[in-house]
Amino acid sequence: MATWFTEKQTENFGITAKVNRTLHKETTDFQELEMVETEEWGNMLLLDDMVMTTEKDEFVYHEMMAHVPLFTHPSPKKVLIVGGGDGGVIREVLKHNSVEQATLAEIDGKVIEYSKKYLPSIAGTLDDVRVDVQVSDGFMHIAKSEREYDVIMVDSTEPVGPAVTLFTKGFYEGIAKALKEDGILVAQTDNPWFKADLIRQVYGDVKETFPITRVYTANIPTYPSGLWTFTMGSKIYDPLKVSDERFTAFDTKYYTKELHKACFALPKFVKDMTKEE
Amino acid sequence: MATWFTEKQTENFGITAKVNRTLHKETTDFQELEMVETEEWGNMLLLDDMVMTTEKDEFVYHEMMAHVPLFTHPSPKKVLIVGGGDGGVIREVLKHNSVEQATLAEIDGKVIEYSKKYLPSIAGTLDDVRVDVQVSDGFMHIAKSEREYDVIMVDSTEPVGPAVTLFTKGFYEGIAKALKEDGILVAQTDNPWFKADLIRQVYGDVKETFPITRVYTANIPTYPSGLWTFTMGSKIYDPLKVSDERFTAFDTKYYTKELHKACFALPKFVKDMTKEE
């Protein structure tokens, strides 16, 4: 019997992928964690039955979360990633030579443990000397930080379970406080086809907290609708005004300096979600 | 028992959608045609078990196929659509006041018939006075045309069954002949995640036939990977050099004049498919 994993991305629609075998499955203190080997996407991490990342398409999310804010900032030195226990964002952050320290605040140590074991191409740089891995609640970590970070990235799960507090206005206000006076926030904010209300709400909350607020997109085939949004809040630097000289060359599979600006050109129905009512 | 339609987009991956009821099903002279009512996407047209269009997300494909070439051309008057029997591209083409005649060469009359019946919001303008509907083989229609069209759009199915000839170099050469001396071709060219070879091949063939060849993308959630490509071949006009004054305002849900240029900024792995080996 062939085994297929099906994620119902809505009540009435989903994706389905052939699974060769289950590598690990356990109920952690926070969520259901499952690592499966798929035929199409390589190893795949599931949390609460939702696809978090896969070996084949992970580069899109990780590159776009990391490089857009890091090239927007002229010289990012201290970076905080909230969530992101698979290590993919860290791997991309470390490509920036200016970065002296990248702190990971992941609430679930099991995500880190099994990503290292079964997603080595993603988690392989978590032991780098510039990385400070903290198994801790990102919300609490933010609450105790002040004027500390150049860039904070919220690489969270959906706003259910442990991630609920990461989609609140109070959290964005905490991030603004934890950032330096020219700091940048970027958060993953789900997809515009099924989660329009969430995008509108986060955009409004970030806009009330940061002088510059912009939404950008990337294509992630294993995420709902294939179109993912990221919301950026910036105190000073505008991602659309980065000069060509800022970009340094390194190997990417999705991000390019042309896309850095083009990804902010939103489809009309998404653009409408960022307008005042 | 709930009914779910599953399209295996590859051998090992697919989408699945809840179906309320089947509205029509028949084997035409060319393919299996099925019209189903889904809970998530509204009415959905399937050909040979592949999603062709749905009421909820059809606007992306149809707007992006029509408006990018039509705004690139300074004054398109005669337009040919090969395929496209659902009428969605025609609906968008007619928004351009310069267009005097839009010819549809759809090989399967049943697609037109059942789109009119079950997809009225898509097929509703097929009876417009400016539209010339021909139930005919697009390849043959092209072969007998010379210096006739300003823009030709290839709105075909996948390169299987009746559409095989529509992905050949001979076809693009025929289109070049059927176009006026400043004409533009645009063709749907599938997705870069699972069909890289096809994109490379079409790009190469079009590039050998047209002075300006460019690939652009759009997010279509019900199509494989959610990332769709279109390949444009142009004799004179460059889509990236359209002046701002060219754009006239009309209602769209996806296309914007900013996206007109931004959609040509390709993810690195897609850009690499358009490079010479």
Side-chain angles (χ1 to χ4, degrees), chain A residues 4 10 12-16 18 39-41 59 193-194 219 221 225 227 252-254 259 262 265 267-269, chain B residues 4 10-16 18 39-41 193-194 219 221 225 227 252-254 259 262 265 267-269:
Chain A
W4 288 70
T10 72
N12 305 300
F13 182 71
I15 56 168
T16 186
K18 191 175 179 185
E39 191 68 29
E40 186 67 53
W41 301 102
F59 64 91
W193 288 91
F194 308 133
N219 157 251
S225 89
L227 183 66
T252 58
K253 286 193 267 187
Y254 191 93
L259 261 187
K268 179 66 163 53
F269 78 106
Chain B
W4 288 70
T10 73
E11 278 299 294
N12 305 300
F13 182 70
I15 56 168
T16 186
K18 191 173 179 186
E39 190 66 29
E40 187 67 51
W41 302 102
W193 287 91
F194 309 133
N219 156 250
S225 89
L227 185 67
T252 58
K253 284 192 269 188
Y254 191 94
L259 261 187
K268 179 66 163 51
F269 78 106

Side-chain angles (χ1 to χ4, degrees), chain B residues 41-105:
Chain B
W41 302 102
N43 290 352
M44 177 186 270
L45 170 64
L46 308 174
L47 294 177
D48 291 334
D49 280 328
M50 290 180 281
V51 177
M52 289 299 115
T53 198
T54 82
E55 288 181 310
K56 189 169 161 186
D57 76 344
E58 55 88 9
F59 65 92
V60 182
Y61 179 92
H62 296 137
E63 290 182 12
M64 291 302 279
M65 169 154 278
H67 301 317
V68 178
L70 290 177
F71 276 128
T72 297
H73 195 290
S75 179
K77 293 182 178 62
K78 284 195 78 176
V79 177
L80 171 68
I81 295 104
V82 175
D86 57 50
V89 172
I90 284 280
R91 182 195 61 203
E92 297 303 315
V93 166
L94 294 179
K95 290 181 179 175
H96 293 257
N97 291 329
S98 69
V99 172
E100 296 165 0
Q101 188 179 43
T103 301
L104 189 79

Side-chain angles (χ1 to χ4, degrees), chain A residues 64-121:
Chain A
M64 291 302 279
M65 170 155 277
H67 302 318
V68 179
L70 290 176
F71 277 128
T72 297
H73 194 290
S75 180
K77 292 182 179 65
K78 286 196 75 176
V79 177
L80 171 68
I81 295 104
V82 175
D86 56 51
V89 172
I90 285 279
R91 183 194 63 205
E92 296 303 315
V93 167
L94 294 178
K95 290 180 178 174
H96 293 258
N97 291 329
S98 69
V99 172
E100 296 165 0
Q101 188 180 43
T103 302
L104 189 80
E106 163 64 56
I107 201 168
D108 194 339
K110 295 290 185 182
V111 171
I112 299 170
E113 181 180 345
Y114 288 100
S115 296
K116 284 183 174 180
K117 187 164 183 184
Y118 292 113
L119 303 170
S121 65

Side-chain angles (χ1 to χ4, degrees), chain A residues 133-165:
Chain A
V133 174
Q134 302 191 6
V135 178
S136 66
D137 182 336
F139 192 88
M140 297 306 291
H141 186 99
I142 289 291
K144 65 178 197 219
S145 305
E146 204 165 330
R147 300 284 168 268
E148 194 168 343
Y149 297 103
D150 296 300
V151 176
I152 295 176
M153 301 167 182
V154 185
D155 178 7
S156 67
T157 55
E158 306 303 278
V160 288
V164 165
T165 58

